Every structure is written in structure tokens, then in C-alpha cells.
């Protein structure tokens, strides 16, 4: 078994220490550096070394030097190489592409299997791995973005693209079997139920962390929902709203609308904003239908979870969760600007939408 994570462990030094120690206890084999800890690059590398966690230096802004660019791991007879691609708004940029390609080639030369931990998101991953010189360099890509979370792995040429899952709430599992010359894969996302037992060693670490914080005047240990990971949000969200948003993991349409009223108004005129209502009207509020008709359900929450969307195909389905985007007051490179046709077709399948043509459908959607 190879246990990996693409990064985004924490955005504060002290929390990062607790996270890395917990992940080391869980036996992680490799960990990338995400946009959250990018500013902590040196600290992250140091903390990882202290805790014995194999951090993979990310190709991308600020982090390149902090840790080795690739690592190698022996799994029985197999040598597995792990490379990490960090967030950038312009993955096509030759310098970035070249750096990723160089690391992948080096890993390829010395490994039976190459795993790429990516912060780019499935759309950019697909583009990158279909581009000249990069085809086939990675066998498996572990994607970190959730712009539209596919439930099953995608296949891009000879590469398997694994969906990103929500940290601490889900586990993505890919089983790979070799039958003669044929490789067979089976992927699934397991939701971690709240009633799973705690690991006592990790529970003790977290207790210690809060005890120390309280000693230093950091206040009471917050209730479970307040500890939900996620960035600080701007003041236009009340403290209670912020807690809900972090626990939920994405912004609902109304929440995006606080800063994008025009787009919200336009979107409300589309059927996307009534997709849940459609199922209610048809008395078919069941998982097999919710998977495309409810954003909350798609993200592994009950469709009527507290504060979840009441609409259906929310902004987040096309643009991504938006937590970092909102926390950075709308920073442009933290959101999907223009969702690609492939994303529409995850729901507008040949079966569900027999008359699909992008130029017919898109004008109704753009705002
Ligand atoms: C998460 C799933 C999902 C995604 C992604 C998605 N759609 Fe849809 N779309 C739906 C569903 C479900 C409906 C039907 C809603 C209903 O009537 O209940 C729909 C309806 C529509 C309609 C009819 C709207 C109307 O007001 O008549 C158009 C047009 C459309 N989608 C275009 C797009 C385009 C273009 C994209 C990509 C940019 C896209 N959709 C992405 C699920 C999705
Ligand atoms: C793979 C994604 C997907 C699944 C699963 C799905 N739908 Fe849809 N549904 C769509 C899309 C996309 C549209 C819009 C198609 C179009 O505009 O032509 C749609 C449209 C509809 C409409 C038409 C709305 C209207 O007023 O014209 C109904 C009703 C509907 N879906 C009900 C269901 C039910 C019931 C289920 C479960 C049995 C279901 N859907 C499962 C994607 C899906
Ligand atoms: C079905 C997919 C889809 C959904 C749902 C969706 N958008 Fe978009 N959005 C798009 C597309 C496609 C564009 C790019 C339009 C273009 O540039 O031609 C876009 C562009 C934008 C832009 C850039 C400025 C602009 O208006 O072109 C903003 C801001 C935006 N969307 C906000 C939102 C918000 C807020 C919501 C929810 C209320 C939302 N979007 C829901 C597909 C979607
Ligand atoms: C705190 C306010 C705020 C919230 C909340 C917010 N945005 Fe934005 N967003 C902005 C600002 C400001 C910009 C313009 C940035 C610029 O032009 O530099 C922007 C830009 C965008 C763009 C265009 C990006 C580009 O490259 O041009 C999209 C798309 C977008 N937002 C979608 C969303 C969606 C979807 C949500 C909810 C998931 C959301 N925003 C939530 C403030 C916000």
C-alpha cells in the first residue's frame, strides 16, 4: 500500500506540526506542498523532517527548494517514484512545464510506477498530461482540486487520474492489479463515518496542542465544527457563517452572491438553480439522481445539511469550492474562471442530455 496526500495540510506553523506528526503516525509515504502551506515552505520542510514525514518538494511558486523534488519508495518488488506539482495559474508556462517534465522523466527512469501529486485540478492535469513530451510519464495522478469532483477515476491516455477527496472526511482508494500484461484498476471514495473510533495517539496529540494553546492564552478548545479546517474568511461572513462554511467545505450560491450579485441573479434564472426542486417535484430525492442534481450531495453531504445549498447545481459545481478565493478577497487564480466543456459533460452525459451542443447550451449559462 502507498499512502499519499497532495498537500494543503495547514496554513499555520503550529497546526502544521500537529498535522505532520499525525500523518507520520498514520504512516504516510509521501506528501506534497499545497497552496495553504506554500508561504511556510521552509517551516514545512523542517517540520516534515522533524516528524519523519517524506515531503515532496513542489514545483511551483516559492516552494521549489524546500524539499527534494521527487522521492522513491520500494513496495515489494516495485520501485515507485513520487513527484509533486504545485499550484500555478499558468501550468502551460514553459518553465513550470519543463520543471515538472524533468522530475517526471527522472522518476520514470528509475521507477516501475510514477505517481504525481498535483495541486492543479483535474482540468489542468488532463491538459498537462496530454501535452507533448508528458504523455505516459506518470501512471497515477492524485489530484487535489475539487472543481467538479468526479466519483470515479478518469483515464487520460495511459494515466489514471484520481479525484481529490475532502481531507479528514473521505479516503480515495485505488486498487491496481497486474494480470499478465494487463493493468486493472478499481477506484472508489470512502466516506469516513463520524462514529469511527479515534486513534488514541493522535487524539492525545490534538489534546496536547489545545492544552498548550490555552496555556498561551489562546482560549478554550473549540467545539468540533469550529475546528473544521479552512482559511479565515472576510468579515462579511459572521463568525457563525464562517464556521458553517468551513465545516461544509464550499460556498453556496447565496454566499458567492455576497460579492457576485449580478451572476447570482442571472444564475437564478437558469434551471441549474432549480435542479433540487426538480427532484422534489418528481418525488425522486434519491442518491442516484442527487449525484447530478445537488451540489451538497455531490460533496458527500446530505442534500439538506445545515446551511447547504437549496438550489442544486451551485456555483461551486462549475467554479470550485471557493474557500480560498473568498479568503483572499477574490484572488483570481484561486477560482476556475471558465469551466471547460468536459466539466459540463460530467452531468450532461449522452444519456441525460441527448441534444447536447456547447454553443446551444452555453449562452443560457454565461452570466
Ligand atoms: C453538477 C452537474 C452539472 C454540471 C457540471 C452542469 N450542468 Fe447543466 N444541468 C444540470 C442539471 C441537473 C440540469 C437540469 C436541471 C433541472 O431542470 O432540474 C441542467 C440544466 C442545464 C441547462 C438547461 C437550463 C435552462 O435554464 O434551461 C443548460 C443550458 C445547461 N445545464 C448547461 C450547462 C453547461 C453549459 C454546463 C457547463 C458549463 C453545465 N450545464 C454544467 C447539471 C449540470
Ligand atoms: C448524470 C447526471 C444526472 C443524473 C444522474 C440525473 N440527472 Fe436529471 N438531468 C441531468 C441533466 C444534465 C439534465 C438537463 C438535460 C437537458 O437540459 O436536456 C437533467 C434534467 C432532468 C429533468 C428535466 C427537467 C425539465 O424540467 O425538463 C428531470 C425531471 C430530471 N433530470 C430528473 C432526474 C431524475 C428523477 C433522476 C434520477 C432517476 C435524474 N434526473 C438523474 C443530469 C442528471
Ligand atoms: C453551469 C456552470 C456554471 C455555474 C453553475 C455558474 N457559473 Fe459562473 N461562469 C460559468 C462560465 C462558463 C463562465 C465564463 C463565461 C465566459 O467567460 O464566457 C462563468 C463566469 C463567471 C464569472 C466571471 C465574470 C463573468 O460574469 O463572466 C463569475 C464572477 C462567475 N461566473 C460567478 C458565478 C457565480 C457567483 C455563480 C453562482 C451564483 C456561478 N458563476 C455559477 C459557468 C457557471
Ligand atoms: C469576498 C468576496 C468574494 C466571494 C465570497 C467570492 N468572490 Fe469571486 N471574486 C471576487 C472578486 C473581488 C473578484 C475579482 C478579482 C479581480 O478581478 O481581480 C472575483 C472574481 C471571480 C471570478 C473571475 C475570476 C477571473 O479569473 O477573472 C470568478 C469566476 C468568481 N469570482 C467566482 C466566484 C464563485 C463561484 C464564488 C463562490 C464559490 C465566489 N467567486 C466568491 C470576490 C469574491
Amino acid at each position: 500500500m502507498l499512502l499519499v496526500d497532495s498537500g494543503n495540510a495547514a496554513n499555520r506553523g503550529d497546526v502544521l506540526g500537529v498535522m505532520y506528526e499525525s500523518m507520520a503516525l498514520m504512516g504516510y509515504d509521501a506528501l506534497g506542498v499545497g497552496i495553504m502551506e506554500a508561504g511556510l515552505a521552509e517551516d514545512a520542510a523542517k517540520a516534515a523532517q522533524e516528524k519523519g514525514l517524506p515531503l515532496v518538494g513542489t514545483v511551483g511558486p516559492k516552494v521549489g527548494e524546500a524539499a527534494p523534488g521527487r522521492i522513491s519508495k520500494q513496495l515489494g518488488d516495485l520501485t515507485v517514484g513520487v513527484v509533486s506539482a504545485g499550484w500555478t495559474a499558468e501550468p502551460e508556462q514553459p518553465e513550470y512545464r519543463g520543471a515538472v517534465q524533468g522530475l517526471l522523466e527522472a522518476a520514470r527512469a528509475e521507477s516501475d510506477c510514477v505517481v504525481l501529486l498535483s495541486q492543479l485540478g483535474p482540468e489542468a492535469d488532463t491538459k498537462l498530461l496530454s501535452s507533448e513530451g508528458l504523455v505516459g510519464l506518470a501512471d497515477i495522478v492524485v489530484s487535489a482540486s475539487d472543481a467538479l469532483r468526479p466519483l470515479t477515476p478518469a483515464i487520460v491516455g495511459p494515466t489514471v487520474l484520481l479525484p481529490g477527496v475532502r481531507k479528514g472526511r473521505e479516503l480515495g482508494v485505488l486498487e491496481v492489479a497486474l494480470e499478465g500484461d494487463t493493468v486493472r484498476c478499481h477506484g472508489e471514495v470512502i466516506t469516513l463515518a463520524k462514529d469511527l473510533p479515534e486513534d488514541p495517539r493522535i487524539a492525545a496529540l490534538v489534546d496536547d496542542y489545545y492544552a498548550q494553546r490555552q496555556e498561551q492564552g489562546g482560549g478554550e478548545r473549540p467545539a468540533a465544527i469550529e475546528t473544521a479546517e479552512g482559511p479565515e474568511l472576510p468579515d462579511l461572513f459572521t463568525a457563525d457563517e464562517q464556521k458553517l462554511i468551513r465545516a461544509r467545505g464550499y460556498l453556496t450560491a447565496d454566499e458567492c452572491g455576497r460579492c457576485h450579485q449580478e451572476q447570482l441573479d442571472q444564475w437564478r434564472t437558469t434551471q441549474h438553480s432549480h435542479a433540487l426542486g426538480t427532484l422534489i417535484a418528481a418525488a425522486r430525492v434519491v442518491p442516484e439522481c442527487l449525484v447530478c442534481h445537488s451540489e451538497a450531495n455531490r460533496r458527500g453531504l446530505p442534500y439538506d445539511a445545515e446551511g447547504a445549498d437549496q438550489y442544486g447545481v451551485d456555483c461551486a459545481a462549475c467554479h470550485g469550492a471557493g474557500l480560498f478565493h473568498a479568503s483572499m478577497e477574490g484572488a483570481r487564480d484561486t477560482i476556475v474562471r471558465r469551466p471547460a466543456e468536459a466539466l459540463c459533460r460530467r452531468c450532461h452525459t449522452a444519456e441525460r442530455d441527448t441534444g447536447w451542443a456547447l454553443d446551444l447550451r452555453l449562452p443560457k449559462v454565461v452570466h
Side-chain angles (χ1 to χ4, degrees), residues 140-157:
I140 297 170
V141 179
V142 180
S143 182
S145 164
D146 64 352
L148 187 116
R149 229 162 43 97
L151 296 171
T152 48
I155 311 285
V156 181

PDB file of all heavy atoms in Angstrom, residues 140-157:
ATOM      1  N   ILE A 140      -0.067   7.446 -12.302  1.00  0.00           N
ATOM      2  CA  ILE A 140      -1.198   7.798 -11.455  1.00  0.00           C
ATOM      3  C   ILE A 140      -1.052   9.263 -11.032  1.00  0.00           C
ATOM      4  O   ILE A 140       0.028   9.685 -10.626  1.00  0.00           O
ATOM      5  CB  ILE A 140      -1.228   6.906 -10.191  1.00  0.00           C
ATOM      6  CG1 ILE A 140      -1.435   5.439 -10.590  1.00  0.00           C
ATOM      7  CG2 ILE A 140      -2.307   7.359  -9.218  1.00  0.00           C
ATOM      8  CD1 ILE A 140      -1.244   4.452  -9.455  1.00  0.00           C
ATOM      9  N   VAL A 141      -2.130  10.021 -11.149  1.00  0.00           N
ATOM     10  CA  VAL A 141      -2.117  11.398 -10.662  1.00  0.00           C
ATOM     11  C   VAL A 141      -3.110  11.504  -9.504  1.00  0.00           C
ATOM     12  O   VAL A 141      -4.268  11.107  -9.630  1.00  0.00           O
ATOM     13  CB  VAL A 141      -2.530  12.398 -11.761  1.00  0.00           C
ATOM     14  CG1 VAL A 141      -2.541  13.817 -11.216  1.00  0.00           C
ATOM     15  CG2 VAL A 141      -1.594  12.305 -12.945  1.00  0.00           C
ATOM     16  N   VAL A 142      -2.641  12.011  -8.371  1.00  0.00           N
ATOM     17  CA  VAL A 142      -3.538  12.236  -7.237  1.00  0.00           C
ATOM     18  C   VAL A 142      -3.850  13.723  -7.227  1.00  0.00           C
ATOM     19  O   VAL A 142      -2.997  14.554  -6.942  1.00  0.00           O
ATOM     20  CB  VAL A 142      -2.891  11.805  -5.909  1.00  0.00           C
ATOM     21  CG1 VAL A 142      -3.840  12.045  -4.751  1.00  0.00           C
ATOM     22  CG2 VAL A 142      -2.491  10.340  -5.977  1.00  0.00           C
ATOM     23  N   SER A 143      -5.078  14.039  -7.572  1.00  0.00           N
ATOM     24  CA  SER A 143      -5.477  15.418  -7.808  1.00  0.00           C
ATOM     25  C   SER A 143      -6.000  16.039  -6.525  1.00  0.00           C
ATOM     26  O   SER A 143      -6.642  15.371  -5.729  1.00  0.00           O
ATOM     27  CB  SER A 143      -6.569  15.402  -8.871  1.00  0.00           C
ATOM     28  OG  SER A 143      -6.958  16.692  -9.156  1.00  0.00           O
ATOM     29  N   ALA A 144      -5.731  17.347  -6.342  1.00  0.00           N
ATOM     30  CA  ALA A 144      -6.133  17.958  -5.081  1.00  0.00           C
ATOM     31  C   ALA A 144      -7.332  18.867  -5.222  1.00  0.00           C
ATOM     32  O   ALA A 144      -7.944  19.224  -4.234  1.00  0.00           O
ATOM     33  CB  ALA A 144      -4.975  18.752  -4.500  1.00  0.00           C
ATOM     34  N   SER A 145      -7.696  19.243  -6.417  1.00  0.00           N
ATOM     35  CA  SER A 145      -8.751  20.234  -6.549  1.00  0.00           C
ATOM     36  C   SER A 145     -10.107  19.561  -6.679  1.00  0.00           C
ATOM     37  O   SER A 145     -10.221  18.425  -7.087  1.00  0.00           O
ATOM     38  CB  SER A 145      -8.503  21.094  -7.777  1.00  0.00           C
ATOM     39  OG  SER A 145      -9.681  21.773  -8.104  1.00  0.00           O
ATOM     40  N   ASP A 146     -11.146  20.321  -6.329  1.00  0.00           N
ATOM     41  CA  ASP A 146     -12.462  19.711  -6.336  1.00  0.00           C
ATOM     42  C   ASP A 146     -13.430  20.479  -7.212  1.00  0.00           C
ATOM     43  O   ASP A 146     -14.609  20.501  -6.952  1.00  0.00           O
ATOM     44  CB  ASP A 146     -13.003  19.657  -4.919  1.00  0.00           C
ATOM     45  CG  ASP A 146     -13.206  21.043  -4.366  1.00  0.00           C
ATOM     46  OD1 ASP A 146     -12.771  22.010  -5.034  1.00  0.00           O
ATOM     47  OD2 ASP A 146     -13.789  21.191  -3.305  1.00  0.00           O
ATOM     48  N   ALA A 147     -12.922  21.163  -8.237  1.00  0.00           N
ATOM     49  CA  ALA A 147     -13.784  21.999  -9.075  1.00  0.00           C
ATOM     50  C   ALA A 147     -15.041  21.234  -9.453  1.00  0.00           C
ATOM     51  O   ALA A 147     -16.141  21.712  -9.288  1.00  0.00           O
ATOM     52  CB  ALA A 147     -13.056  22.462 -10.317  1.00  0.00           C
ATOM     53  N   LEU A 148     -14.888  20.048  -9.950  1.00  0.00           N
ATOM     54  CA  LEU A 148     -16.050  19.170 -10.044  1.00  0.00           C
ATOM     55  C   LEU A 148     -15.537  17.782  -9.706  1.00  0.00           C
ATOM     56  O   LEU A 148     -14.760  17.201 -10.426  1.00  0.00           O
ATOM     57  CB  LEU A 148     -16.687  19.156 -11.426  1.00  0.00           C
ATOM     58  CG  LEU A 148     -17.977  18.342 -11.355  1.00  0.00           C
ATOM     59  CD1 LEU A 148     -19.186  19.186 -11.646  1.00  0.00           C
ATOM     60  CD2 LEU A 148     -17.937  17.146 -12.238  1.00  0.00           C
ATOM     61  N   ARG A 149     -15.980  17.312  -8.572  1.00  0.00           N
ATOM     62  CA  ARG A 149     -15.420  16.092  -8.061  1.00  0.00           C
ATOM     63  C   ARG A 149     -16.014  14.898  -8.786  1.00  0.00           C
ATOM     64  O   ARG A 149     -17.153  14.547  -8.571  1.00  0.00           O
ATOM     65  CB  ARG A 149     -15.733  15.991  -6.580  1.00  0.00           C
ATOM     66  CG  ARG A 149     -14.537  15.661  -5.728  1.00  0.00           C
ATOM     67  CD  ARG A 149     -14.822  15.996  -4.294  1.00  0.00           C
ATOM     68  NE  ARG A 149     -16.142  15.565  -3.918  1.00  0.00           N
ATOM     69  CZ  ARG A 149     -16.399  14.432  -3.290  1.00  0.00           C
ATOM     70  NH1 ARG A 149     -15.431  13.612  -3.001  1.00  0.00           N
ATOM     71  NH2 ARG A 149     -17.623  14.128  -2.949  1.00  0.00           N
ATOM     72  N   PRO A 150     -15.258  14.271  -9.642  1.00  0.00           N
ATOM     73  CA  PRO A 150     -15.790  13.055 -10.238  1.00  0.00           C
ATOM     74  C   PRO A 150     -15.796  11.973  -9.157  1.00  0.00           C
ATOM     75  O   PRO A 150     -15.011  12.027  -8.225  1.00  0.00           O
ATOM     76  CB  PRO A 150     -14.786  12.724 -11.331  1.00  0.00           C
ATOM     77  CG  PRO A 150     -13.532  13.404 -10.943  1.00  0.00           C
ATOM     78  CD  PRO A 150     -13.872  14.533 -10.028  1.00  0.00           C
ATOM     79  N   LEU A 151     -16.692  11.037  -9.256  1.00  0.00           N
ATOM     80  CA  LEU A 151     -16.746   9.994  -8.234  1.00  0.00           C
ATOM     81  C   LEU A 151     -15.798   8.856  -8.545  1.00  0.00           C
ATOM     82  O   LEU A 151     -15.419   8.094  -7.687  1.00  0.00           O
ATOM     83  CB  LEU A 151     -18.173   9.465  -8.106  1.00  0.00           C
ATOM     84  CG  LEU A 151     -19.159  10.522  -7.624  1.00  0.00           C
ATOM     85  CD1 LEU A 151     -20.584  10.022  -7.712  1.00  0.00           C
ATOM     86  CD2 LEU A 151     -18.835  10.925  -6.192  1.00  0.00           C
ATOM     87  N   THR A 152     -15.409   8.772  -9.809  1.00  0.00           N
ATOM     88  CA  THR A 152     -14.544   7.663 -10.204  1.00  0.00           C
ATOM     89  C   THR A 152     -13.305   8.224 -10.893  1.00  0.00           C
ATOM     90  O   THR A 152     -13.323   9.340 -11.401  1.00  0.00           O
ATOM     91  CB  THR A 152     -15.277   6.744 -11.201  1.00  0.00           C
ATOM     92  OG1 THR A 152     -15.862   7.572 -12.203  1.00  0.00           O
ATOM     93  CG2 THR A 152     -16.351   5.946 -10.517  1.00  0.00           C
ATOM     94  N   PRO A 153     -12.223   7.451 -10.913  1.00  0.00           N
ATOM     95  CA  PRO A 153     -11.007   7.924 -11.575  1.00  0.00           C
ATOM     96  C   PRO A 153     -11.243   8.145 -13.065  1.00  0.00           C
ATOM     97  O   PRO A 153     -12.085   7.487 -13.667  1.00  0.00           O
ATOM     98  CB  PRO A 153     -10.025   6.765 -11.371  1.00  0.00           C
ATOM     99  CG  PRO A 153     -10.574   5.948 -10.263  1.00  0.00           C
ATOM    100  CD  PRO A 153     -12.055   6.119 -10.298  1.00  0.00           C
ATOM    101  N   ALA A 154     -10.514   9.090 -13.635  1.00  0.00           N
ATOM    102  CA  ALA A 154     -10.580   9.317 -15.081  1.00  0.00           C
ATOM    103  C   ALA A 154      -9.321   8.721 -15.699  1.00  0.00           C
ATOM    104  O   ALA A 154      -8.299   8.601 -15.038  1.00  0.00           O
ATOM    105  CB  ALA A 154     -10.645  10.807 -15.357  1.00  0.00           C
ATOM    106  N   ILE A 155      -9.421   8.350 -16.965  1.00  0.00           N
ATOM    107  CA  ILE A 155      -8.253   7.808 -17.652  1.00  0.00           C
ATOM    108  C   ILE A 155      -7.829   8.809 -18.720  1.00  0.00           C
ATOM    109  O   ILE A 155      -8.636   9.207 -19.555  1.00  0.00           O
ATOM    110  CB  ILE A 155      -8.598   6.466 -18.347  1.00  0.00           C
ATOM    111  CG1 ILE A 155      -9.319   5.514 -17.384  1.00  0.00           C
ATOM    112  CG2 ILE A 155      -7.373   5.826 -18.958  1.00  0.00           C
ATOM    113  CD1 ILE A 155      -8.455   4.860 -16.351  1.00  0.00           C
ATOM    114  N   VAL A 156      -6.591   9.258 -18.644  1.00  0.00           N
ATOM    115  CA  VAL A 156      -6.055  10.174 -19.656  1.00  0.00           C
ATOM    116  C   VAL A 156      -4.894   9.466 -20.326  1.00  0.00           C
ATOM    117  O   VAL A 156      -3.822   9.354 -19.740  1.00  0.00           O
ATOM    118  CB  VAL A 156      -5.556  11.484 -19.008  1.00  0.00           C
ATOM    119  CG1 VAL A 156      -5.022  12.432 -20.068  1.00  0.00           C
ATOM    120  CG2 VAL A 156      -6.656  12.140 -18.191  1.00  0.00           C
ATOM    121  N   GLY A 157      -5.107   8.974 -21.543  1.00  0.00           N
ATOM    122  CA  GLY A 157      -4.066   8.166 -22.205  1.00  0.00           C
ATOM    123  C   GLY A 157      -3.726   7.002 -21.294  1.00  0.00           C
ATOM    124  O   GLY A 157      -4.616   6.295 -20.817  1.00  0.00           O
TER     125      GLY A 157
END
